[in-house]
Amino acid sequence: MALQAASLVSSTFVVPEEGKSSASLKESSLLGVSLSDHVKADFSSSTLKWKREFNQRVGTVRAQTMATATPAVNRASSDGKKTLRQGCCIVTGASSGLGLAAAKALAETGKWHVIMACRDFLKAERAAKSAGIAKENCTIMHLDLASLDSVRQFVDTFRRSGRALDVLVCNAAVYLPTAKEPTFTAEGFELSVGTNHLGHFLLSRLLLEDMKKSDYPSKRLIIVGSITGNTNTLAGNVPPKANLGDLRGLAGGLNGLNSSAMIDGGEFDGAKAYKDSKVCNMLTMQEFHRRFHEETGITFASLYPGCIATTGLFREHIPLFRLLFPPFQKYITKGFVSEEDAGKRLAQVVSDPSLTKSGVYWSWNKDSASFENQLSQEASDAEKARKVWEVSEKLVGLA
Ligand code: NDP
Ligand code: PMR
């Protein structure tokens, strides 16, 4: 299936009746998925059936436009009680693990319409179906965080949908612990930092403008962090430890040519690159809070959802690790949490009325109660946060 960058979403995105010719299909890409290569070549009835399901899941632009016309809080005419419209929440990397579980937890309340922002449309489609996420409560849109063009196109596509944006969850990540050499994003940034931090940095900076416009009463921007980026914990002291140093590699563009592929300018280490990217995620959340919380009222938060040892995050690790890691976390560290429970935790940070405090890094105790956790010295260093912000702005073309 050709997944191509979307340049536009045609407002005439309508599924033709079965049997009608493909000429009625405008040459366009639909919410990030180009149908041209695929559909024109084979316009069989099975393709049409797929397209009908696809259309139900993504919704038509016309239907979506109506969503914004509704004010967030309405007064029901008969009893005068206030009602809240369905919130709209974008979750990146919702095709598996934590993102999928959170999307499910949110969608099944009926209070949320979840935009599943995923790089593999068909995988996301299948995942949503097998998780039992109702079509009317979710829309899948293409987003590849390893391409800044794709990030910009996603934002454009989302805007054309006409929906208001109430919550953004930056969840997607890659972890490449066994890589011997760095690999790179479309713009030539080391893949872990490029995807986990820089892609999300551009996405959240652009979508902040959309969140500002929303009239939803509790708007939130959540960036998933982790214990392993925090060196004030046992887990964060397992080598290689996160350390951004003086950011010389980041400032040099992480391209591995005229600068190191690592933020601190050191030798490439895939596990460290991931942990460094998580430090950037946690610093970015705090910098957002300092710059925008007062002005916008948006809640900025990060979290460590627990050790979800069964997810796809560890797909690149050696088989022995994947075998032993879940029981190690379950029975030895006792830090294990199921995907379902972790999803509920993230959903709490999205919508629980008691978690509105901004600038917080949430964690959960043994009884699964949330608490404000302490970040490590580096992950709470305001000066470093400012520098990461400024360098990242340059790298993604915002400054
Ligand atoms: P998964 O691998 O299951 O999920 C990661 C998601 O990110 C997938 O949907 C994946 O898409 C997506 N993704 C990867 N690269 C890109 C890209 N270039 N563009 C768009 N999406 C992309 O891992 P988890 O659910 O475990 O991880 C989710 C978050 O939780 C991450 O931020 C991680 O750091 C964090 N976390 C995880 C912990 C754990 O123990 N698992 C602990 C603490 C934090 P695809 O399905 O196509 O591969
Ligand atoms: Mg870790 C309380 C102890 C604890 C917790 C909560 C985690 C979480 N880990 C803990 C301890 C240890 N780990 C110890 C003592 C060891 C040495 C045996 C250990 C090892 C280890 C490895 C090799 N742990 C790991 C790895 C990984 O490859 C994972 C990683 O670092 O991914 C970046 C990982 C993790 N341990 C965790 C968590 C949550 C991870 C996974 C991912 C993440 O931070 O997102």
Side-chain angles (χ1 to χ4, degrees), residues 144-146 172-174 185 190-201:
D144 181 356
L145 289 156
V174 287
T185 66
E190 185 283 316
L191 195 64
S192 333
V193 174
T195 305
N196 308 356
H197 167 58
L198 292 170
H200 278 134
F201 181 78

Side-chain angles (χ1 to χ4, degrees), residues 284-356:
T284 301
M285 175 280 288
Q286 294 163 86
E287 192 63 16
F288 260 117
H289 167 71
R290 279 187 283 271
R291 290 178 185 238
F292 296 106
H293 174 62
E294 222 171 275
E295 174 200 328
T296 64
I298 295 170
T299 295
F300 300 96
S302 186
L303 68 149
Y304 166 59
C307 187
I308 332 161
T310 53
T311 73
L313 193 70
F314 310 104
R315 66 188 96 174
E316 299 292 335
H317 225 310
I318 54 168
L320 187 64
F321 175 89
R322 283 189 270 125
L323 180 73
L324 297 179
F325 193 52
F328 171 67
Q329 292 294 344
K330 247 181 223 168
Y331 306 113
I332 314 249
T333 74
K334 308 236 186 330
F336 181 87
V337 63
S338 70
E339 294 181 31
E340 190 185 352
D341 287 346
K344 286 181 186 157
R345 289 176 178 184
L346 178 49
Q348 249 182 296
V349 182
V350 168
S351 73
D352 194 306
S354 67
L355 303 189
T356 53

Side-chain angles (χ1 to χ4, degrees), residues 52-65:
R52 254 203 317 275
E53 287 176 3
F54 173 99
N55 196 27
Q56 273 176 1
R57 182 85 66 190
V58 300
T60 64
V61 170
R62 207 172 303 131
Q64 288 177 347
T65 309

